[in-house]
Amino acid sequence: MAQPIALLSVYDKTNLVDFAKSLHSAGIRLLGYGGTAKKIREAGIPIDDV
């Protein structure tokens, strides 16, 4: 079965890292770009650029 994927792109980054951690912990691959991906990556959570 294919791994689920979440595309994250938000303006308000409040609680973004906690949300991304939850998704990553659930085995969901994260995709994002710009400031959203940068903030998640800086928190040590793997995310691929779109």
Side-chain angles (χ1 to χ4, degrees):
M1 179 165 29
Q3 180 183 25
I5 299 170
L7 174 60
L8 302 175
S9 176
V10 298
Y11 174 77
D12 182 353
K13 294 173 180 47
T14 305
N15 299 319
L16 172 63
V17 171
D18 291 335
F19 182 59
K21 281 181 187 176
S22 297
L23 292 173
H24 178 66
S25 294
I28 298 171
R29 179 181 170 204
L30 304 180
L31 298 178
Y33 63 89
T36 300
K38 180 181 177 187
K39 186 165 181 84
I40 292 169
R41 195 171 288 115
E42 287 174 348
I45 302 165
I47 185 166
D48 294 318
D49 290 310
V50 177

